[in-house]
Amino acid sequence: MPLSETPEGADTRTATQDSNSLDFNSLLETSKLLNSSLELDFILSHIIRTVMGKFLLRRAAILIVAPAASVGEPASYLLALGRGLATASSSPPTSILNPERFALDFQLPLLVPITTAKRLVGYLCLGGKPTAQPFSDSERTFIESLASLAASSIENTLVFRELQSLNRQLDQKVQQLNTLFDLAKKYNVASSRSEILKTLTQSISGQMLIGTYLLCFHQTGGAAISTVMAATIEVSKGIKPELFSNEVSHTALQSELETLFTFSVPAHLTAEQFPVLFAHKLRLAVPMRVGETTCGLFICGERLTKIPFTASDLEFLFSAASAAMSAVEQARLFAETLEKQALEKELGLAREIQLGLLPTNLPEFEGIELAATNIPSKHIGGDYYDIIQLDATHIFVAIADVTGKGVPASLLMSNLQASIKSFLLNYTPEGFDFAGMIGKINTVIYENTPSDKFITFFGGILDMEAKTFHSVNAGHNPPYLVSCDGEMRTLNAGGVILGIIPTLMPYESETTALTAGDTLFLFTDGVTEAMNKAREEFGEARVEEILKAGVKLHAMQILNEVISAVSHHEPAGEQHDDITALCIKIEPC
Amino acid sequence: MATFNSSVRKADNSTIIEVSGDLDAHTATQLEKTIQDLLDAHQFRLIVNFTKLNYISSAGLGVFMAFIDDVRTNGGDIKFSNMSEKIFNVFDLLGFPLLYEIYKEENEAVKKFNLPTV
């Protein structure tokens, strides 16, 4: 088209062409800059400069979408760069929820969205031209082109920043895990409850920058289940003492704590639901869980830096608090086990001592057989027997059963044994008052024991020369005397059980003449009361049957017959009482 | 077992606590005692020099949190100096720079304590 033909139009075209070429140059320059820079501020100020210079604008701003604090929250914008916005009345905000409103407030009539293919990343906000003319279509096209060139750079920068922030979050997470690891190591060796709780609060306050906190536990160890166990605040820091001293708020505080004990996850405390705790600047409650139970609470104020707790922070607090609670629980169980072991060791010692009190070697005599056995039950019991040679022709024989089991029974048994041995030190065959001695022992036992502790006792002195047996029965299972032809009687003469009442009436005694082939059988109720699965007692009848059938046997054989019958009767491992038996045989028939 | 040591010396108006080794849940109690002793002796201008510290855990950081209120109520402060990059990163990650003054060199902190209090 010949230019000369329309000089006027040509002039116009040239002006437009010049303007267009300037636009293209600007865009080209911008595009080059954008590709070579990740510095957002540099890019933005370049864009602002370009539009302000080109259109002689006095006000302009760029808004950039803010990184979302959490998913689903409405988008907000940051004022990334502003020129000429400051007025006498107000300074521009840093965070903007409504860009249209912002544009209106700061007289920025042109609002150009900055978008990438994927999303809106911000707005270019421009003030009016000095001529007060609206922007023409081509001017708008230029501005939009500039905005779209900037968009991907802004996007890149945003992604870069998000990555940086993610990296930092990752570092923080690693740090939290390190702390949990450190705590776990410490808990493995820390033994006391206070040490564990100290480590917990120290680590949490360091990790989270918390200056106000308390630890609260349900008091345990109440005897009755129905006892209301109050929540007790055990550790606290930075909390005004009124929380603990104010009577009025006490009930309210208790009820708030009780509510929190029903929570299984960390909770933010609100003024509405937890007025007392909230008033003391406490903002977060973290349950300390062992399994399915909340055993304690860690309650704290906000961070000293005022930075809100993130979901990851809550996770950390929850893990740390619950790990501490488990460690406390384990420490308690460990201490209990140690205590139990110590007690068991002592009981074992007591039992050894007690067994040591029973005779180990029985004396031997011509024309007489002695056999004895004591099978202790799992617990220390109170059975006692003794065979003591008094002189060349006299033997003391005794069997006894102390009420109850355990240490008290064994103490009482050793008291009995000591008394007997002391009295027997004075033994002389002439005029020895055996029944009187039992009376004196009864008084000793009576005076030394509470009324619910007593001893069934049977004792006698065997005269080898005279072939007699002088005996006293103080409430014990009557021993059997079986003759060679199977005739059987029991030895009953005596008096009341030892230790119940002081000796008012002297104990009776009896002297039995012994003949060759006689069997004396002494036993405790562990023999006759041994129970089978059907809860039937072994009973006297079975003992008598064995004794009658065994008149021709040796003492040891008779004893073994009885014991093996009892152990057949009683299921293995279920012996509930000591089993003690003595068998004395005068010259086998 | 981690080793940790702390030594105390004076510098002008300040008390310097030099820490070395690993400051973790095990050793935090040692540092706690050191600082408690200083507070009992009315030393409230404290500078912790981290030159020789190898490792710090949250429990170690918790020690500083435990005393900062007391110290500041008494007109003093706990300032930090000479952190390695590794140690600083931990303090930085947890937000300590917002609450505590951290100096590159000990003498900068000493100078700060020498200034008349406002």
Side-chain angles (χ1 to χ4, degrees), chain A residues 168-169 171-172 175-176 178-179 182-183 185-186 189 198-199 201-211 237-238 303-305 307 316, chain B residues 1 23-29 32 55-63 65-70 90 92-96 98-100:
Chain A
R168 194 170 167 83
Q169 283 175 28
D171 282 351
Q172 280 170 342
Q175 168 65 25
Q176 289 182 352
N178 274 338
T179 300
D182 197 29
L183 285 178
K185 272 195 303 188
K186 171 74 178 174
V189 288
K198 172 100 197 198
T199 303
T201 54
Q202 219 167 32
S203 291
I204 286 187
S205 63
Q207 181 83 28
M208 293 283 142
L209 292 166
I210 294 166
K237 177 155 168 44
R303 258 195 263 251
L304 295 179
T305 54
I307 298 170
F316 164 78
Chain B
M1 192 58 92
L23 179 53
D24 58 17
H26 293 284
T27 56
T29 26
E32 197 173 53
Y55 170 80
I56 187 160
S57 79
S58 297
L61 296 165
V63 175
M65 291 298 295
F67 292 114
I68 192 66
D69 282 352
D70 278 2
V90 177
D92 184 42
L93 267 180
L94 301 182
F96 272 70
L98 289 169
L99 297 175
Y100 295 82

Coordinates of all heavy atoms in Angstrom, one line a residue, chain A residues 168-169 171-172 175-176 178-179 182-183 185-186 189 198-199 201-211 237-238 303-305 307 316, chain B residues 1 23-29 32 55-63 65-70 90 92-96 98-100:
Chain A
R168 N 12.1 -26.2 55.8 CA 12.2 -25.8 57.1 C 11.3 -26.6 58.0 O 11.7 -27.0 59.1 CB 11.9 -24.3 57.3 CG 12.3 -23.7 58.6 CD 12.2 -22.2 58.6 NE 12.3 -21.7 59.9 CZ 13.4 -21.4 60.5 NH1 14.6 -21.7 59.9 NH2 13.5 -21.0 61.8
Q169 N 10.1 -26.8 57.5 CA 9.2 -27.7 58.3 C 9.8 -29.1 58.5 O 9.6 -29.7 59.5 CB 7.8 -27.8 57.6 CG 7.0 -26.6 57.7 CD 5.7 -26.7 56.9 OE1 5.2 -27.8 56.6 NE2 5.2 -25.5 56.4
D171 N 13.0 -29.8 58.5 CA 14.0 -29.7 59.5 C 13.4 -29.7 60.9 O 14.0 -30.3 61.8 CB 14.8 -28.4 59.3 CG 15.8 -28.5 58.1 OD1 16.0 -29.7 57.6 OD2 16.4 -27.5 57.7
Q172 N 12.3 -29.0 61.1 CA 11.7 -28.9 62.4 C 11.2 -30.3 62.8 O 11.3 -30.7 64.0 CB 10.5 -27.9 62.4 CG 11.0 -26.5 62.5 CD 10.0 -25.4 62.3 OE1 9.0 -25.7 61.7 NE2 10.3 -24.2 62.7
Q175 N 14.0 -32.3 63.9 CA 14.4 -31.9 65.2 C 13.5 -32.5 66.3 O 13.9 -33.0 67.3 CB 14.4 -30.4 65.3 CG 14.5 -29.8 66.7 CD 15.8 -30.1 67.3 OE1 16.8 -30.3 66.6 NE2 15.9 -30.1 68.6
Q176 N 12.2 -32.5 66.0 CA 11.2 -33.1 66.9 C 11.4 -34.6 67.1 O 11.4 -35.1 68.2 CB 9.8 -32.9 66.4 CG 9.3 -31.4 66.4 CD 7.9 -31.3 66.0 OE1 7.3 -32.2 65.5 NE2 7.4 -30.1 66.2
N178 N 14.3 -36.1 66.7 CA 15.5 -36.2 67.4 C 15.2 -36.1 68.9 O 15.7 -36.8 69.7 CB 16.5 -35.1 67.1 CG 17.3 -35.5 65.9 OD1 17.5 -36.7 65.6 ND2 17.8 -34.5 65.2
T179 N 14.3 -35.1 69.2 CA 14.0 -34.9 70.7 C 13.3 -36.2 71.2 O 13.6 -36.6 72.3 CB 13.1 -33.7 70.8 OG1 13.8 -32.6 70.3 CG2 12.7 -33.5 72.2
D182 N 15.8 -38.8 71.8 CA 16.6 -38.4 72.9 C 15.8 -38.8 74.2 O 16.4 -39.3 75.1 CB 16.8 -36.9 72.9 CG 18.0 -36.5 73.7 OD1 18.9 -37.3 74.0 OD2 18.0 -35.3 74.2
L183 N 14.5 -38.5 74.2 CA 13.7 -38.7 75.4 C 13.6 -40.2 75.6 O 13.7 -40.7 76.7 CB 12.3 -38.2 75.1 CG 12.1 -36.7 75.3 CD1 10.7 -36.2 75.0 CD2 12.6 -36.2 76.7
K185 N 15.7 -42.5 74.8 CA 17.0 -43.0 75.4 C 17.0 -42.7 76.9 O 17.4 -43.5 77.7 CB 18.1 -42.3 74.7 CG 18.6 -43.0 73.4 CD 20.0 -42.5 73.0 CE 20.0 -41.0 72.8 NZ 21.2 -40.5 72.2
K186 N 16.6 -41.5 77.2 CA 16.7 -41.0 78.6 C 15.8 -41.8 79.5 O 16.1 -42.3 80.6 CB 16.4 -39.5 78.7 CG 16.2 -39.0 80.1 CD 17.5 -38.8 80.8 CE 17.3 -38.2 82.2 NZ 18.5 -38.2 83.0
V189 N 16.9 -45.2 80.9 CA 17.8 -45.3 82.1 C 17.2 -44.5 83.3 O 17.6 -44.8 84.4 CB 19.2 -44.8 81.7 CG1 19.9 -45.8 80.8 CG2 19.2 -43.4 81.1
K198 N 10.6 -34.5 84.9 CA 11.6 -33.4 84.7 C 12.1 -33.3 83.3 O 12.1 -32.3 82.6 CB 12.7 -33.5 85.7 CG 13.8 -32.6 85.6 CD 13.7 -31.5 86.6 CE 14.6 -30.3 86.2 NZ 14.8 -29.4 87.2
T199 N 12.5 -34.5 82.8 CA 13.1 -34.6 81.4 C 12.0 -34.1 80.4 O 12.3 -33.4 79.5 CB 13.5 -36.0 81.1 OG1 14.5 -36.4 82.1 CG2 14.1 -36.1 79.8
T201 N 9.3 -32.1 80.9 CA 9.0 -30.7 80.8 C 10.2 -29.9 80.3 O 10.0 -28.9 79.6 CB 8.7 -30.1 82.3 OG1 9.7 -30.5 83.1 CG2 7.4 -30.8 82.7
Q202 N 11.4 -30.3 80.6 CA 12.6 -29.6 80.1 C 12.6 -29.7 78.6 O 12.8 -28.7 77.9 CB 13.8 -30.4 80.7 CG 14.9 -29.5 81.1 CD 16.0 -30.2 81.9 OE1 16.2 -31.4 81.6 NE2 16.6 -29.6 82.8
S203 N 12.4 -30.9 78.0 CA 12.5 -31.0 76.6 C 11.3 -30.3 75.9 O 11.5 -29.6 74.9 CB 12.4 -32.5 76.2 OG 13.6 -33.1 76.6
I204 N 10.1 -30.4 76.4 CA 9.0 -29.7 75.8 C 9.2 -28.2 75.8 O 8.9 -27.5 74.8 CB 7.7 -30.2 76.4 CG1 7.3 -31.6 76.0 CG2 6.5 -29.2 76.0 CD1 6.0 -32.1 76.5
S205 N 9.6 -27.7 77.0 CA 9.7 -26.2 77.1 C 10.8 -25.7 76.1 O 10.7 -24.7 75.6 CB 9.9 -25.8 78.5 OG 11.1 -26.3 79.0
G206 N 11.8 -26.5 76.0 CA 12.9 -26.1 75.1 C 12.5 -26.3 73.6 O 12.8 -25.4 72.8
Q207 N 11.8 -27.3 73.3 CA 11.4 -27.6 71.9 C 10.3 -26.6 71.5 O 10.3 -26.1 70.3 CB 10.8 -29.0 71.8 CG 10.4 -29.4 70.4 CD 11.5 -29.9 69.6 OE1 12.5 -30.4 70.1 NE2 11.4 -29.7 68.3
M208 N 9.4 -26.3 72.4 CA 8.2 -25.5 72.0 C 8.2 -24.1 72.5 O 7.3 -23.3 72.2 CB 6.9 -26.2 72.5 CG 6.6 -27.6 71.9 SD 5.9 -27.3 70.3 CE 6.7 -28.7 69.4
L209 N 9.2 -23.7 73.2 CA 9.3 -22.4 73.8 C 8.1 -22.1 74.7 O 7.5 -21.1 74.5 CB 9.5 -21.4 72.7 CG 10.9 -21.4 72.0 CD1 10.9 -20.6 70.8 CD2 12.0 -21.0 73.0
I210 N 7.8 -23.0 75.6 CA 6.7 -22.8 76.5 C 7.2 -22.5 77.9 O 8.1 -23.1 78.4 CB 5.9 -24.2 76.6 CG1 5.3 -24.5 75.2 CG2 4.8 -24.1 77.6 CD1 4.8 -25.9 75.1
G211 N 6.6 -21.4 78.4 CA 7.1 -21.0 79.7 C 6.1 -21.2 80.8 O 6.4 -21.1 82.0
K237 N 4.8 -24.6 86.3 CA 5.7 -23.5 86.2 C 5.0 -22.4 85.5 O 4.2 -22.5 84.6 CB 6.9 -24.0 85.2 CG 7.9 -22.9 85.0 CD 9.2 -23.4 84.6 CE 10.1 -22.3 84.1 NZ 10.1 -21.0 84.8
G238 N 5.3 -21.2 86.0 CA 4.8 -19.9 85.5 C 3.3 -19.8 85.7 O 2.6 -19.0 85.0
R303 N 2.9 -20.4 73.2 CA 4.4 -20.2 73.0 C 4.8 -18.8 73.3 O 4.1 -17.8 73.1 CB 4.7 -20.5 71.6 CG 5.3 -21.8 71.3 CD 5.9 -21.8 70.0 NE 5.0 -22.3 69.0 CZ 5.2 -23.5 68.4 NH1 6.3 -24.2 68.7 NH2 4.4 -23.9 67.5
L304 N 6.0 -18.6 73.9 CA 6.5 -17.3 74.2 C 6.6 -16.5 72.9 O 6.6 -15.3 73.0 CB 7.8 -17.4 75.0 CG 7.7 -18.0 76.4 CD1 9.0 -18.0 77.1 CD2 6.7 -17.2 77.2
T305 N 6.8 -17.2 71.8 CA 7.0 -16.4 70.6 C 5.6 -16.1 69.9 O 5.6 -15.5 68.9 CB 7.8 -17.3 69.6 OG1 7.1 -18.6 69.5 CG2 9.2 -17.5 70.0
I307 N 3.8 -17.9 68.3 CA 3.6 -18.6 67.1 C 2.6 -19.8 67.4 O 2.9 -20.5 68.3 CB 4.9 -19.2 66.5 CG1 5.8 -18.0 66.1 CG2 4.6 -20.1 65.3 CD1 7.2 -18.4 65.7
F316 N 3.8 -33.9 68.1 CA 5.0 -34.1 68.9 C 4.7 -34.1 70.4 O 5.2 -34.9 71.2 CB 6.0 -32.9 68.6 CG 7.1 -32.8 69.6 CD1 8.2 -33.6 69.6 CD2 7.0 -31.8 70.6 CE1 9.2 -33.5 70.5 CE2 8.0 -31.7 71.6 CZ 9.1 -32.5 71.5
Chain B
M1 N 28.3 -43.0 76.9 CA 27.6 -41.9 77.6 C 28.2 -40.6 77.2 O 29.4 -40.4 77.0 CB 27.9 -42.1 79.1 CG 27.0 -41.2 80.0 SD 25.2 -41.4 79.8 CE 24.9 -42.7 81.0
L23 N 25.0 -31.6 75.1 CA 24.0 -31.1 76.1 C 22.7 -31.8 75.7 O 22.0 -31.3 74.8 CB 24.0 -29.6 76.1 CG 23.0 -28.9 77.0 CD1 23.2 -29.4 78.5 CD2 23.1 -27.4 77.0
D24 N 22.4 -32.9 76.4 CA 21.1 -33.6 76.1 C 20.3 -33.9 77.4 O 20.6 -33.3 78.5 CB 21.4 -34.8 75.3 CG 22.3 -35.8 76.1 OD1 22.5 -35.6 77.4 OD2 22.9 -36.7 75.5
A25 N 19.4 -34.8 77.3 CA 18.5 -35.0 78.4 C 19.3 -35.5 79.6 O 18.9 -35.3 80.8 CB 17.4 -36.1 78.0
H26 N 20.4 -36.2 79.4 CA 21.2 -36.8 80.5 C 22.0 -35.6 81.2 O 22.0 -35.6 82.4 CB 22.3 -37.7 80.0 CG 21.7 -39.0 79.4 ND1 21.2 -40.0 80.2 CD2 21.5 -39.4 78.2 CE1 20.7 -41.0 79.5 NE2 20.9 -40.6 78.2
T27 N 22.6 -34.8 80.3 CA 23.5 -33.8 80.9 C 22.9 -32.5 81.3 O 23.5 -31.6 81.9 CB 24.7 -33.6 79.9 OG1 24.1 -33.2 78.7 CG2 25.4 -34.9 79.7
A28 N 21.6 -32.3 80.9 CA 20.9 -31.0 81.1 C 20.9 -30.6 82.6 O 21.1 -29.5 82.9 CB 19.5 -31.1 80.6
T29 N 20.8 -31.7 83.4 CA 20.7 -31.4 84.9 C 22.0 -30.7 85.4 O 22.0 -29.9 86.3 CB 20.5 -32.7 85.7 OG1 21.0 -33.8 84.9 CG2 19.0 -32.9 85.9
E32 N 21.8 -27.2 84.5 CA 20.8 -26.6 85.4 C 21.4 -26.2 86.7 O 21.1 -25.1 87.2 CB 19.6 -27.6 85.5 CG 18.4 -27.0 86.0 CD 17.2 -28.0 85.9 OE1 17.4 -29.0 86.5 OE2 16.2 -27.6 85.3
Y55 N 26.7 -30.8 70.6 CA 25.3 -31.2 70.3 C 24.4 -30.6 71.4 O 24.8 -30.5 72.5 CB 25.2 -32.7 70.3 CG 23.8 -33.3 70.3 CD1 23.1 -33.3 69.1 CD2 23.2 -33.7 71.5 CE1 21.8 -33.8 69.1 CE2 21.9 -34.2 71.5 CZ 21.2 -34.3 70.3 OH 19.9 -34.7 70.3
I56 N 23.2 -30.2 70.9 CA 22.2 -29.7 72.0 C 20.9 -30.3 71.6 O 20.5 -30.4 70.4 CB 22.2 -28.2 72.0 CG1 21.3 -27.7 73.2 CG2 21.7 -27.5 70.7 CD1 21.5 -26.3 73.7
S57 N 20.2 -30.8 72.6 CA 18.8 -31.4 72.4 C 17.8 -30.4 73.1 O 18.2 -29.5 73.7 CB 18.7 -32.7 73.1 OG 18.5 -32.6 74.5
S58 N 16.6 -30.7 72.9 CA 15.5 -29.9 73.4 C 15.6 -29.7 74.9 O 15.3 -28.7 75.5 CB 14.2 -30.4 73.0 OG 14.0 -30.4 71.7
A59 N 16.0 -30.8 75.6 CA 16.1 -30.8 77.0 C 17.2 -29.7 77.4 O 17.0 -29.0 78.4 CB 16.5 -32.2 77.6
G60 N 18.2 -29.7 76.6 CA 19.3 -28.7 76.9 C 18.7 -27.3 76.7 O 19.0 -26.4 77.5
L61 N 17.9 -27.1 75.6 CA 17.3 -25.8 75.4 C 16.3 -25.5 76.5 O 16.2 -24.3 76.9 CB 16.6 -25.8 74.1 CG 17.5 -26.0 72.8 CD1 16.7 -26.4 71.6 CD2 18.3 -24.8 72.6
G62 N 15.7 -26.5 77.0 CA 14.7 -26.3 78.1 C 15.3 -25.7 79.3 O 14.7 -25.0 80.1
V63 N 16.6 -26.0 79.6 CA 17.3 -25.4 80.7 C 17.3 -23.8 80.6 O 17.0 -23.2 81.6 CB 18.8 -25.8 80.8 CG1 19.5 -25.1 81.9 CG2 18.8 -27.3 81.0
M65 N 15.1 -22.1 79.0 CA 13.7 -21.7 79.2 C 13.3 -21.6 80.7 O 12.6 -20.8 81.1 CB 12.7 -22.6 78.5 CG 12.8 -22.6 77.0 SD 12.4 -21.0 76.3 CE 10.6 -20.9 76.8
A66 N 13.9 -22.6 81.4 CA 13.5 -22.7 82.8 C 14.0 -21.5 83.6 O 13.3 -21.2 84.6 CB 14.1 -24.0 83.4
F67 N 15.0 -20.8 83.2 CA 15.6 -19.7 84.0 C 15.3 -18.3 83.5 O 15.5 -17.4 84.2 CB 17.1 -19.9 84.2 CG 17.5 -21.1 85.0 CD1 18.1 -22.2 84.5 CD2 17.1 -21.2 86.4 CE1 18.4 -23.3 85.2 CE2 17.4 -22.3 87.1 CZ 18.1 -23.4 86.6
I68 N 14.9 -18.2 82.2 CA 14.9 -16.9 81.6 C 14.0 -15.9 82.4 O 14.3 -14.7 82.5 CB 14.5 -17.0 80.1 CG1 14.8 -15.7 79.4 CG2 13.1 -17.5 79.9 CD1 16.2 -15.3 79.3
D69 N 12.8 -16.4 82.9 CA 11.9 -15.5 83.6 C 12.6 -14.9 84.8 O 12.6 -13.7 85.1 CB 10.6 -16.2 83.9 CG 9.7 -16.3 82.7 OD1 10.0 -15.7 81.7 OD2 8.7 -17.0 82.8
D70 N 13.1 -15.9 85.6 CA 13.8 -15.5 86.9 C 14.9 -14.4 86.6 O 15.0 -13.4 87.3 CB 14.5 -16.7 87.5 CG 13.5 -17.5 88.3 OD1 12.3 -17.1 88.3 OD2 13.9 -18.5 88.9
V90 N 19.7 -25.3 65.2 CA 18.7 -25.9 66.2 C 18.0 -24.7 66.9 O 16.7 -24.7 66.9 CB 19.4 -26.8 67.2 CG1 18.4 -27.3 68.2 CG2 20.1 -27.9 66.5
D92 N 17.6 -21.7 65.8 CA 16.8 -21.0 64.9 C 15.6 -21.7 64.5 O 14.5 -21.1 64.5 CB 17.7 -20.8 63.6 CG 17.0 -19.9 62.6 OD1 16.4 -18.9 63.0 OD2 17.1 -20.2 61.4
L93 N 15.7 -23.0 64.3 CA 14.5 -23.8 63.9 C 13.4 -23.7 65.0 O 12.2 -23.7 64.6 CB 14.9 -25.3 63.9 CG 15.3 -25.8 62.5 CD1 15.7 -27.3 62.7 CD2 14.2 -25.7 61.5
L94 N 13.8 -23.7 66.2 CA 12.8 -23.7 67.3 C 12.3 -22.3 67.7 O 11.5 -22.1 68.6 CB 13.4 -24.4 68.5 CG 13.8 -25.8 68.2 CD1 14.3 -26.5 69.5 CD2 12.6 -26.6 67.7
G95 N 12.9 -21.2 67.0 CA 12.4 -19.9 67.2 C 13.1 -19.1 68.4 O 12.6 -18.1 68.8
F96 N 14.2 -19.6 68.9 CA 14.9 -19.0 70.0 C 15.4 -17.5 69.6 O 15.4 -16.7 70.5 CB 16.1 -19.8 70.4 CG 15.8 -20.8 71.5 CD1 15.0 -21.9 71.2 CD2 16.2 -20.6 72.8 CE1 14.6 -22.8 72.2 CE2 15.8 -21.5 73.8 CZ 15.0 -22.6 73.5
L98 N 13.9 -15.2 68.5 CA 12.8 -14.2 68.8 C 12.8 -13.9 70.3 O 12.3 -12.8 70.7 CB 11.4 -14.8 68.5 CG 11.1 -15.0 67.0 CD1 9.9 -15.8 66.8 CD2 10.9 -13.6 66.4
L99 N 13.4 -14.8 71.1 CA 13.3 -14.5 72.6 C 14.7 -14.2 73.2 O 14.7 -13.7 74.3 CB 12.8 -15.8 73.2 CG 11.3 -16.2 72.9 CD1 11.0 -17.5 73.5 CD2 10.4 -15.1 73.3
Y100 N 15.8 -14.6 72.5 CA 17.1 -14.5 73.1 C 18.0 -13.7 72.1 O 17.8 -13.8 70.9 CB 17.7 -15.9 73.4 CG 17.0 -16.7 74.4 CD1 15.9 -17.4 74.1 CD2 17.4 -16.7 75.7 CE1 15.2 -18.2 75.0 CE2 16.8 -17.5 76.7 CZ 15.6 -18.2 76.3 OH 15.0 -18.9 77.3

